[in-house]
Amino acid sequence: MKLVHEGDLLWEPSEARKQSTQIYHYMRWLKQHKNLEFQDYHSLWKWSVNNVESFWSSIWEYFDIQAKDSYHTILTSHQMPGAKWFPEATINYTEHIFRNRATSTRPAIIHTSENRTTEEVSWQKLYQDTVAMQQTLKELGINKGDRVVGYIPNIYEAVVSFLATASLGAIWSSASPDFGTQSVIDRFQQIEPKLLITVDGYRYGGKNFDRTEVAAKIQSSLPSLEATIAIPYLDEHATFKKLSAVTYWDQVIKQEQAQTLTFEYVAFNDPLWVLFSSGTTGKPKPIVQSQGGILLEHLKALSFHLDLDETDRFFWFTTTGWMMWNFLIGGLLTGSAIILYDGNPSYPSKNKLWQLAEETKMTVLGTSASYITACMKEELEPKEQFDLSHLYNISSTGSPLPPEGFQWCYENVKDDLWIASASGGTDVCTAFILGVPTLQVYAGELQCRGLGAKIESFNAHGKSQIEEVGELVLTEPFPSMPIYFWNDEDGTRLRDSYFDVFSGIWCHGDYIKITERNTCVIYGRSDATINRGGVRIGTSEIYRAVDHVQSVADSLIVDIPAHNGDSFVPLFVVMKEEQELTSEIKQIIKQQIRTHCSPRHVPTEIYQVPDLPKTLNGKKLEIPVKKLLMGKPLDQVVNKGSLSNESSLDAFLEFANHLKV
């Protein structure tokens, strides 16, 4: 693979491709209906963030939002937090999923897993099952504002359950069965659900995991529960004997009393769902987002920035415990078919997702940067093994995709490919720095800031800057921002989370550079940067350099302040199977960092560990590791239930004890 540098031009859409896009159609609509003409995407973006009321009202009109009561006010105030969108309007999210599609025989969902064969479900079938589920929820006493929680994998039944819940104006929340017991309880207890939907277990990496006992513990820990729906998933004959008052899924979908969905219209700013932060340092934050805010943002992001329409088959590898599941479900708003997969994306080999892309005729493949990097390190060549002729977009998130990851896709997946690295978060349930099909792709760069998202890079003095690394901030209100945190009556926890750095400005916690051509580069969490001699560098740059070392599987670096004003910077590496960290490999790693970053950012020392601590969503725990090595007690720096691999902390605890000595 030839050496690629950040900023190298890798792909450019043809004029015909540009003119076929959803965003091109929207720009023509603005010219025709609003007398607004824009020469390129960036001029459109500038208008959208400097005129947020006009922009979001145009989104309402363009997508023909159905409202029982329309709006008089677009935005109550530009002050953050506290700004409210379309306050007089009443809507229903699920209505927009099914409008004009309830009788369609086209696929709405394609689902598969390690213990289920691939199945296509038509829009008609999805509608009928949602009707039946809605009827069951009504019989169980679920009303507007009640909480329904799912301890459920990324399977078809989860989508049906969510859509029925939202149709009634009830509030959804979910956790994946691979979460630890206490981690699930810590989430669900906060919102006092009325109904629990659970499976008996799941299969991952070829192994079965029974969760009936965990489900029983969750049920007994939620005194607010009035009913439980059980889905035999791991074992179709599961009896759920350890649970009380169970309604089985086959009873749910056999309902015949209702033939059509009814929709409970709720205020635009009423809750749609509760998402939870990873909870690495305490109980997860219950982030509440609105029916209207999510509806508008997902229509915009998925239509314009992912270019989805009825011809697409949209996939993102995710679990129900990550906001990308909610984003994936939003694909239904565009009429595209969504693809669900429950299982290990690397089982029985890392080719699993490429095989799935061929089987399902996938058009958009969403995954993590770490998966692409892993495929690169394995030297896979999907284009030689699979028919990927339908695939036109690869999107990645979770961490920055390095330039080499971009190049690997072009050389080994497809040369005519639109690659969109994206950044956003659970806090807004979207990516607000992402792709657009009308722009060029540059190695290591995110194509654009999303429409309506006034993203800027602030220096320490709160001044906006270009071509300089700074804090990622949002300086205008955004519809899918949290309407509040659950049980945060005075808003203190929300303000402390986003508005404690710059008054009235959303500070996201990432380091970003905005280039002169309006692309963006993300450098990782701003509180995890490496500062040597006053020069800061993002951890993603270190990881990119280490990724060049074939024998290293993964790495984590932290910067620990020292009393003499300098700092101690250890780099921890996980080696590939049957590889050991030798002095020669250490020198290779240091040389890579010296070459790709700078001599001053070479780590103080390099250590081999068996695994890296990561959240349930796969993100490295840089800050908790840093605090642990600074002598903070374990119970004060990390909630072990938030980890996907709790035993990975052992090596770091041992290292922390060694530092004390």
Side-chain angles (χ1 to χ4, degrees), residues 464-567:
S464 186
Q465 55 190 7
I466 299 293
E467 291 289 352
E468 296 289 341
V469 179
E471 290 279 358
L472 192 167
V473 298
L474 197 53
T475 57
E476 284 284 352
F478 192 66
S480 66
M481 282 178 174
I483 46 177
Y484 50 81
F485 287 173
W486 200 268
N487 291 329
D488 181 30
E489 285 79 6
D490 63 358
T492 298
R493 200 176 180 193
L494 184 141
R495 287 192 298 273
D496 289 347
S497 296
Y498 310 116
F499 300 99
D500 64 339
V501 178
F502 305 107
S503 178
I505 301 293
W506 174 291
C507 189
H508 198 60
D510 283 343
Y511 256 152
I512 184 176
K513 179 178 75 176
I514 299 168
T515 72
E516 290 180 344
R517 58 171 171 255
N518 288 300
T519 59
C520 299
V521 182
I522 300 292
Y523 293 95
R525 299 296 295 172
S526 56
D527 51 4
T529 54
I530 309 303
N531 186 355
R532 303 301 296 273
V535 179
R536 292 182 179 272
I537 190 171
T539 54
S540 66
E541 295 183 81
I542 302 290
Y543 301 146
R544 178 194 171 194
V546 178
D547 281 342
H548 284 279
V549 183
Q550 284 296 317
S551 55
V552 176
D554 208 349
S555 60
L556 183 147
I557 192 167
V558 292
D559 187 344
I560 303 171
H563 297 298
N564 60 6
D566 198 358
S567 60

Side-chain angles (χ1 to χ4, degrees), residues 281-457:
T281 56
K283 284 193 174 182
K285 294 180 292 190
I287 300 167
V288 187
Q289 288 152 347
S290 69
Q291 286 231 11
I294 290 296
L295 175 64
L296 288 191
E297 169 54 26
H298 283 187
L299 277 169
K300 179 217 76 179
L302 291 158
S303 298
F304 298 157
H305 291 285
L306 273 176
D307 201 34
L308 297 180
D309 63 22
E310 293 183 352
T311 66
D312 281 298
R313 295 183 170 207
F314 172 44
F315 170 78
W316 210 291
F317 179 76
T318 183
T319 72
T320 57
W322 188 23
M323 50 89 28
M324 291 310 302
W325 182 82
N326 306 70
F327 191 74
L328 173 63
I329 304 313
L332 294 170
L333 291 166
T334 71
S336 66
I338 62 171
I339 302 169
L340 314 178
Y341 175 68
D342 176 46
N344 185 336
S346 299
Y347 178 81
S349 77
K350 286 191 169 62
N351 271 321
K352 178 61 186 179
L353 296 189
W354 308 114
Q355 178 188 352
L356 182 65
E358 176 185 69
E359 179 187 4
T360 60
K361 298 180 179 178
M362 191 185 294
T363 60
V364 175
L365 188 157
T367 185
S368 64
S370 60
Y371 178 76
I372 293 174
T373 303
C375 290
M376 179 178 70
K377 287 202 163 195
E378 291 282 334
E379 299 182 348
L380 300 185
E381 297 178 290
K383 71 178 182 181
E384 302 297 333
Q385 294 179 257
F386 305 102
D387 177 6
L388 302 175
S389 57
H390 294 87
L391 187 69
Y392 69 81
N393 171 269
I394 292 179
S395 290
S396 77
T397 192
S399 60
L401 181 64
E404 295 80 7
F406 282 76
Q407 184 67 3
W408 177 86
C409 290
Y410 284 110
E411 293 191 350
N412 297 281
V413 180
K414 204 173 184 180
D415 55 9
D416 185 16
L417 191 64
W418 165 36
I419 298 177
S421 182
S423 181
T426 301
D427 321 83
V428 287
C429 197
T430 191
F432 40 42
I433 309 170
L434 64 180
V436 72
T438 56
L439 292 178
Q440 301 95 331
V441 172
Y442 295 94
E445 298 181 359
L446 289 74
Q447 285 181 291
C448 63
R449 290 168 281 181
L451 294 178
K454 195 166 188 181
I455 298 294
E456 299 182 60
S457 172

Side-chain angles (χ1 to χ4, degrees), residues 227-244:
T228 298
I229 293 175
I231 303 169
Y233 173 55
L234 181 61
D235 176 6
E236 62 182 20
H237 302 297
T239 59
F240 295 90
K241 291 180 180 177
K242 296 178 181 178
L243 276 70
S244 58

Side-chain angles (χ1 to χ4, degrees), residues 176 178-187 277-284 614-617 621 634 638-646 649:
S176 178
D178 59 352
F179 281 21
T181 308
Q182 193 57 46
S183 180
V184 178
I185 293 171
D186 284 345
R187 284 162 166 77
S277 66
S278 57
T280 53
T281 56
K283 284 193 174 182
K614 296 182 179 180
T615 67
L616 293 159
N617 297 332
L621 265 68
L634 177 62
V638 65
N639 175 3
K640 290 188 288 185
S642 70
L643 303 185
S644 63
N645 48 355
E646 185 178 325
L649 285 172

